[in-house]
Amino acid sequence: MRGNGLALKNGLTHLVLAAVSVVLVFPFVWMLTGAFKNGLEVVKMPPRFLPSHWNFDNFVRIEQFFPLYRFLLNSTVVAVATTLLQIIVCAMAAYVFAKIPFKGRQGVFLLFLTTMMIPAQVTLVPLFILFAKTNLIDTYAGLILPGIFSAYGTFLIRQHMLTVPNELLEAAFIDGASYYRVFRSVMLPLVKPTLAALTVFAFMSSWNNFLWPLIAVNSKELMTLPLGLSKLQGRWSTEWDVLMAGNVVSFVPIFVVYLFAQRYFVKGMTMTGIK
Amino acid sequence: MAGQRKWSRRLAALVFLLPALAGLLAFQLLPMVSSVVISFTDWDMIAKWTDMRFIGWDNYAAVFREEKSYTSLKNVFVFLIGYMPLVTALGTFLAVLLNRKIRAIKLYRAAVFVPVITSWVAVSIVWRWLLNGQSGLINFLLSKIGIHGPIWLQDDTWAMVSIIAVTVWKDIGFVSVILLAGLQDISEDYYEAAELDGASAWLKFRRITLPMLSPTLYFVVTISLINSFQLFDQVLIMTNGGPAGATSTLVEQVYKNAFQFNKMGFAAAQSWVLFVIIFAVSMLLQRLQRRWVVYER
């Protein structure tokens, strides 16, 4: 009797979860199949689920409108550089906040935390002016630099570094290790899981960022994927086949990263507020 | 010796902190201070620094005078009222299901997360197509059950409904994963004790799950509140604030005033008004929190 009840409950759970999954994933399936349809088929009613003929034209044709693969390169360069630099900068600062005491450290740390509360649009206008005046608009540096400082990332790594026992560091110092050596060979390896979580999190934020590139870039040659796609859809709003091909190009890399780093993705998300 | 050690420690602290401090100064503090200054000027970006004129509170007065400020504020509240309860309730429901120990649960957890990892731009473009009046799949499916669907994004009522629905669709995976983490922190013991007392599933949910989950729920509500006030990417791409301002939002106004109309001072003032609103509502939430959030002792 009880067993039957449980089986029914599990069956219902499966049913609901499967339905929800379909609703959440279907638009991506539609995007994927749409990218291989031709211009007529993509707007045909009633719609065909799969393309009658799988064509790859859209992935080539899109280059007539916009340099999509240039966008892909730009997005990759910006996301990789932002992530790497952010991790290094945050880990270094976190090391100080966790393990190198000095007078006034608490105050500086508090200042870091306070900036987490300031919404991005408050600093948007002056940040643009700062970059315009220093000729960083329309450069890779202009796209990358604002993303490398992260109070949140610093805070996260610091929390993990606090759990490293001081005795371990003392022992290393007695053996003659420098601060740099301890950072590289003791601290970083010990907080690897947090670094991994932050890496995927930072990569995703950078890859998907729209507002800052929208402001910091004017020339086609420097557009990232989200920005390039938004411009593309503005002008050729009905070429759904071409647009879906562009969407697929922007979706596949982040999806692959997600598949490989799923565990850390979720961890990066949940760490945002809980632990 | 000890003195030398102290100096080397200070030096190390400085060196390790320097890049982050430079970033904090250049990309947070300096822009913040300039933002305040700019908000009191009539500066338009084209003029030289030296031509900057201080005009006191004029920009702020103008923000309150402008009709569009109220429209966008109203829109954001409409969004908030639709989005927040929906994403929280559905997210909780989904989290409870995702917490069950059944086969293929990992697959379901992965599936709900796919919209979360995708950029708003890509998602918005796909939904613009799905919601298209003529060639959109949604209206086709509706026609199958005898409903003549509206032109969603160009209709002044349905545009906001669409934005809310799509945002719930994108964020629900994020919300439910956070709530799932909260659920997994609840000890099984409580449920076992309740079962001995013969409590129903609903009673267990009301008396154990909800109170134990309330700190996480509070976090989710706060995040969705902040997200609501910062509504931008999806609006710019799906409706560009239209039709006739029906989906215009605060951040979209700041962006357009600054970067399309060159009203830097006005936009800066607007962004500070926005900040004050976010701050006030967060404080209110913080206050109300004591009434319903239960912290374990």
Side-chain angles (χ1 to χ4, degrees), chain A residues 13-14 126 179 208 233 247, chain B residues 9 31 100 103 108 117 122 128:
Chain A
T13 308
H14 273 296
Y179 278 97
N208 291 339
Q233 77 119 30
N247 261 358
Chain B
R9 195 176 66 210
R100 295 243 170 98
R103 243 187 302 160
Y108 294 129
I117 58 159
R128 267 200 54 200

Side-chain angles (χ1 to χ4, degrees), chain A:
Chain A
M1 185 62 206
R2 242 207 95 117
N4 272 342
L6 192 67
L8 182 71
K9 200 169 130 184
N10 284 350
L12 272 176
T13 308
H14 273 296
L15 205 67
V16 177
L17 283 179
V20 170
S21 301
V22 166
V23 171
L24 292 179
V25 172
F26 184 77
F28 296 95
V29 178
W30 198 238
M31 164 182 102
L32 220 62
T33 58
F36 293 98
K37 291 173 183 167
N38 67 40
L40 282 175
E41 200 172 19
V42 87
V43 291
K44 210 175 106 192
M45 284 296 138
R48 270 186 74 111
F49 183 66
L50 291 175
S52 55
H53 167 76
W54 291 79
N55 68 75
F56 289 79
D57 291 4
N58 297 330
F59 292 91
V60 182
R61 211 152 63 85
I62 196 166
E63 284 282 303
Q64 294 165 7
F65 303 109
F66 261 82
L68 182 78
Y69 298 97
R70 177 73 207 223
F71 301 162
L72 181 66
L73 176 77
N74 292 341
S75 269
T76 311
V77 169
V78 171
V80 169
T82 306
T83 306
L84 268 177
L85 290 171
Q86 190 193 103
I87 295 295
I88 295 170
V89 170
C90 289
M92 281 170 66
Y95 178 38
V96 176
F97 289 132
K99 294 295 177 191
I100 314 181
F102 64 90
K103 224 176 166 184
R105 187 176 69 165
Q106 214 46 39
V108 180
F109 186 57
L110 211 66
L111 201 63
F112 266 66
L113 292 188
T114 320
T115 61
M116 285 205 277
M117 286 175 31
I118 306 297
Q121 58 280 1
V122 166
T123 49
L124 207 58
V125 171
L127 208 54
F128 170 75
I129 294 165
L130 177 76
F131 277 69
K133 294 289 166 194
T134 47
N135 290 322
L136 286 170
I137 293 299
D138 258 339
T139 64
Y140 275 127
L143 281 167
I144 295 163
L145 282 174
I148 64 175
F149 169 74
S150 164
Y152 161 70
T154 310
F155 177 72
L156 221 56
I157 304 175
R158 172 197 179 252
Q159 294 309 93
H160 198 168
M161 282 183 170
L162 281 177
T163 65
V164 175
N166 284 330
E167 290 78 15
L168 209 61
L169 304 189
E170 287 304 325
F173 284 130
I174 288 165
D175 287 346
S178 64
Y179 278 97
Y180 172 72
R181 191 67 211 273
V182 168
F183 176 67
R184 273 258 14 211
S185 314
V186 181
M187 294 307 265
L188 286 188
L190 284 172
V191 299
K192 248 187 202 154
T194 304
L195 296 183
L198 200 61
T199 301
V200 284
F201 201 55
F203 185 86
M204 185 186 71
S205 313
S206 175
W207 187 266
N208 291 339
N209 194 1
F210 175 55
L211 185 52
W212 179 247
L214 179 66
I215 290 156
V217 169
N218 298 316
S219 69
K220 258 190 208 174
E221 286 65 42
L222 274 160
M223 285 182 182
T224 54
L225 277 166
L227 180 61
L229 284 174
S230 77
K231 299 280 182 198
L232 187 65
Q233 77 119 30
R235 251 168 273 180
W236 292 277
S237 49
T238 47
E239 306 244 6
W240 295 114
D241 50 343
V242 172
L243 271 174
M244 289 309 128
N247 261 358
V248 168
V249 171
S250 88
F251 170 70
V252 168
I254 194 79
F255 185 64
V256 170
V257 171
Y258 170 61
L259 286 184
F260 280 107
Q262 213 188 101
R263 200 154 59 94
Y264 295 113
F265 252 114
V266 174
K267 207 167 156 207
M269 290 283 177
T270 48
M271 275 191 309
T272 310
I274 317 260
K275 301 283 145 67

Side-chain angles (χ1 to χ4, degrees), chain B residues 32-72:
Chain B
M32 256 178 69
V33 175
S34 350
S35 176
V36 177
V37 175
I38 293 166
S39 75
F40 290 105
T41 70
D42 63 351
W43 197 54
D44 66 356
M45 189 61 207
I46 300 151
K48 277 189 238 137
W49 286 112
T50 41
D51 293 341
M52 198 146 75
R53 259 190 335 127
F54 279 87
I55 53 170
W57 292 92
D58 283 10
N59 282 327
Y60 289 88
V63 170
F64 286 102
R65 253 198 329 267
E66 196 171 283
E67 180 79 30
K68 275 185 186 160
S69 306
Y70 294 98
T71 316
S72 57

Side-chain angles (χ1 to χ4, degrees), chain B residues 2-214:
Chain B
Q4 203 189 349
R5 178 92 197 266
K6 193 169 156 192
W7 277 106
S8 80
R9 195 176 66 210
R10 279 183 184 162
L11 185 69
L14 184 71
V15 171
F16 276 98
L17 208 51
L18 212 55
L21 266 184
L24 177 81
L25 222 67
F27 307 131
Q28 293 281 340
L29 298 181
L30 182 71
M32 256 178 69
V33 175
S34 350
S35 176
V36 177
V37 175
I38 293 166
S39 75
F40 290 105
T41 70
D42 63 351
W43 197 54
D44 66 356
M45 189 61 207
I46 300 151
K48 277 189 238 137
W49 286 112
T50 41
D51 293 341
M52 198 146 75
R53 259 190 335 127
F54 279 87
I55 53 170
W57 292 92
D58 283 10
N59 282 327
Y60 289 88
V63 170
F64 286 102
R65 253 198 329 267
E66 196 171 283
E67 180 79 30
K68 275 185 186 160
S69 306
Y70 294 98
T71 316
S72 57
L73 186 65
K74 190 204 85 193
N75 289 340
V76 165
F77 273 102
V78 169
F79 175 86
L80 184 72
I81 289 163
Y83 167 79
M84 204 157 78
L86 211 56
V87 84
T88 315
L90 292 176
T92 310
F93 177 64
L94 190 57
V96 169
L97 293 184
L98 289 175
N99 198 27
R100 295 243 170 98
K101 291 177 195 70
I102 55 171
R103 243 187 302 160
I105 194 75
K106 284 212 168 122
L107 196 67
Y108 294 129
R109 284 182 192 166
V112 304
F113 219 61
V114 174
V116 180
I117 58 159
T118 318
S119 77
W120 254 122
V121 174
V123 158
S124 304
I125 293 174
V126 176
W127 277 102
R128 267 200 54 200
W129 182 29
L130 288 166
L131 292 168
N132 188 286
Q134 286 93 45
S135 58
L137 190 67
I138 301 287
N139 275 359
F140 172 76
L141 292 176
L142 285 177
S143 74
K144 284 273 149 194
I145 52 170
I147 297 172
H148 184 72
I151 42 167
W152 303 101
L153 297 168
Q154 281 106 348
D155 182 294
D156 45 14
T157 322
W158 290 103
M160 185 51 97
V161 174
S162 310
I163 299 272
I164 292 171
V166 175
T167 312
V168 169
W169 170 86
K170 184 170 194 299
D171 289 352
I172 192 157
F174 172 69
V175 167
S176 58
V177 161
I178 286 186
L179 289 168
L180 180 63
L183 283 177
Q184 288 177 341
D185 278 351
I186 304 177
S187 159
E188 278 291 320
D189 301 352
Y190 295 102
Y191 294 104
E192 276 162 22
E195 247 154 60
L196 285 178
D197 293 340
S200 68
W202 172 244
L203 199 67
K204 278 187 283 183
F205 179 75
R206 279 258 13 214
R207 293 291 162 81
I208 303 170
T209 311
L210 269 189
M212 299 290 281
L213 198 59
S214 58

